[in-house]
Amino acid sequence: MTLNTPRSRRPTIYDVAKSAGVSPSLVSLVLQNPSRVSDKRREAVLAAISQLGYRPSRAATALASSQTKSIGLVIDDFRNPWFVDLLRGMESALEVHGYQVTVADSRPGQNRIKEATDGLLAMHVAGLVIAAEPSEPMLAGTWVPTVVAGWRNGVPAGADLITNDDDGGGRLAAGHLLELGHTRIGHLSGSDGAAAHRREGFRGRMAAAGLEARIAGESGGTSEEDGYASACWLLDRYSDTTAIFAANDTMAVGAFAAAKARGRSVPDDLSVIGYDNSPLAKSRYLDITTVDNRSDVVGADSAQTLLARIQDPGQAPGRKLIEPTLVVRGTTSRITG
């Protein structure tokens, strides 16, 4: 082997390949999975690495092998705190295998989710976790192993689905308010898949109790502003409402503002329960009663499922539901009147 690398330049994977007399892809294989390379070639590559003082570059290795140790995560709104725990769960499962997460936000715009996905695919990510509403062009163009996190209105063919049992969570929220004596309960909903399942769970539990399900915002968004607008409409239309179940913690914060604007206090005049057990709900100041969708577990299971699909792309797609739990804090109370 000869050393032709100038000292003024950092040695590359291509320098190692030339020195060892092998291809750059084989050098990449030695760096990622040395057991798959013959002893003779592996020793030649390792000797070249040692003599050249080469330090592996993740980007160069990816270009040489057309693979990366990166997982793409597509989200639809970085303002939604649900993604904090989802990402934390994903990273906890991926880091032990040497993978990193690259996040792409698809908000706003109809075509942004396809653009975000295309951008990740152009980076040669090893797989995708979709935590956003997939569009038809995106469903047709996704060719890497894919897992959908959370209920969505569409799931790519061949993708796994890992989600909270949102129907059960909706029933859990309604049941908590019913146990506190509330019968005039409103629900702030939205148009996405998770909101639809939470709404149906709430509606079913209310029907089982023989009560009206007062629902607002089911064709809209789930931001704080959406929560405020829907709560204002609900409280104006049904002034006798004593409790509100919001489709997420962010909407619950909007409901607090709507209650204050109408001279009602939480929880004395109006009980409010959110969903997600996000950092907002855990805030000592807000102290929101909520349904914990265990998004960190959804994230970890999504990552583990994706790693399994990367190893065996031909396996049949599956669906896994994570059971939610109720977290009682300071925004719900027993009805007194």
Side-chain angles (χ1 to χ4, degrees):
M1 291 182 286
T2 60
L3 302 181
N4 297 317
T5 305
R7 292 184 179 274
S8 60
R9 179 171 67 84
R10 176 180 176 178
T12 69
I13 194 171
Y14 300 98
D15 296 322
V16 173
K18 183 177 180 181
S19 179
V22 299
S23 67
S25 60
L26 191 128
V27 175
S28 176
L29 188 59
V30 170
L31 293 170
Q32 296 183 61
N33 197 346
S35 62
R36 294 178 58 187
V37 182
S38 68
D39 292 343
K40 182 179 179 180
R41 288 189 169 187
R42 183 172 65 249
E43 289 171 3
V45 170
L46 293 177
I49 288 173
S50 176
Q51 291 185 25
L52 291 170
Y54 171 71
R55 292 185 179 180
S57 162
R58 185 179 297 271
T61 302
L63 289 172
S65 65
S66 297
Q67 296 179 346
T68 67
K69 298 287 281 187
S70 180
I71 299 299
L73 169 63
V74 182
I75 64 176
D76 56 11
D77 189 348
F78 66 86
R79 298 170 301 177
N80 188 337
W82 177 75
F83 295 115
V84 175
D85 285 339
L86 179 78
L87 180 58
R88 179 167 57 85
M90 284 183 60
E91 289 181 332
S92 69
L94 291 171
E95 63 183 1
V96 297
H97 297 282
Y99 283 85
Q100 294 181 332
V101 181
T102 301
V103 182
D105 176 27
S106 61
R107 183 195 62 86
Q110 185 176 10
N111 295 321
R112 281 294 302 277
I113 187 167
K114 184 177 186 306
E115 293 172 3
T117 305
D118 287 347
L120 291 171
L121 294 175
M123 297 170 63
H124 300 283
V125 293
L128 284 174
V129 173
I130 302 172
E133 292 294 338
S135 64
E136 285 302 321
M138 175 191 168
L139 299 183
T142 303
W143 64 83
V144 300
T146 302
V147 172
V148 174
W151 286 113
R152 306 295 163 189
N153 290 323
V155 177
D160 296 275
L161 174 66
I162 309 296
T163 183
N164 175 247
D165 180 6
D166 289 298
D167 295 81
R171 293 191 295 271
L172 195 62
H176 171 64
L177 295 172
L178 290 170
E179 289 173 3
L180 293 175
H182 297 277
T183 56
R184 299 181 296 276
I185 305 171
H187 176 46
L188 313 182
S189 189
S191 61
D192 65 31
H197 281 273
R198 294 169 190 182
R199 179 172 65 247
E200 290 312 302
F202 169 80
R203 197 196 303 272
R205 183 67 180 83
M206 293 295 287
L211 298 171
E212 176 188 15
R214 302 172 173 182
I215 298 175
E218 58 186 304
S219 61
T222 55
S223 68
E224 180 179 342
E225 188 60 32
D226 294 318
Y228 175 78
S230 293
C232 286
W233 180 89
L234 186 72
L235 294 174
D236 289 344
R237 176 163 182 155
Y238 303 100
S239 59
D240 62 343
T241 297
T242 63
I244 286 178
F245 162 43
N248 61 31
D249 296 332
T250 305
M251 294 189 83
V253 174
F256 297 160
K260 182 178 180 181
R262 278 147 183 75
R264 303 182 68 173
S265 64
V266 177
D268 296 335
D269 302 321
L270 183 72
S271 285
V272 177
I273 180 172
Y275 205 112
D276 290 342
N277 197 27
S278 68
L280 277 175
K282 299 171 186 176
S283 161
R284 291 184 183 274
Y285 179 75
L286 295 175
D287 198 34
I288 304 174
T289 295
T290 187
V291 176
D292 188 348
N293 66 353
R294 301 171 68 199
S295 55
D296 57 333
V297 178
V298 173
D301 281 14
S302 295
Q304 291 165 355
T305 300
L306 185 59
L307 291 176
R309 181 161 292 283
I310 290 171
Q311 292 296 317
D312 181 12
Q315 64 180 324
R319 186 181 80 170
K320 182 176 182 179
L321 297 181
I322 307 299
E323 184 179 358
T325 59
L326 179 69
V327 182
V328 179
R329 295 193 178 99
T331 59
T332 52
S333 65
R334 185 167 297 278
I335 191 167
T336 57

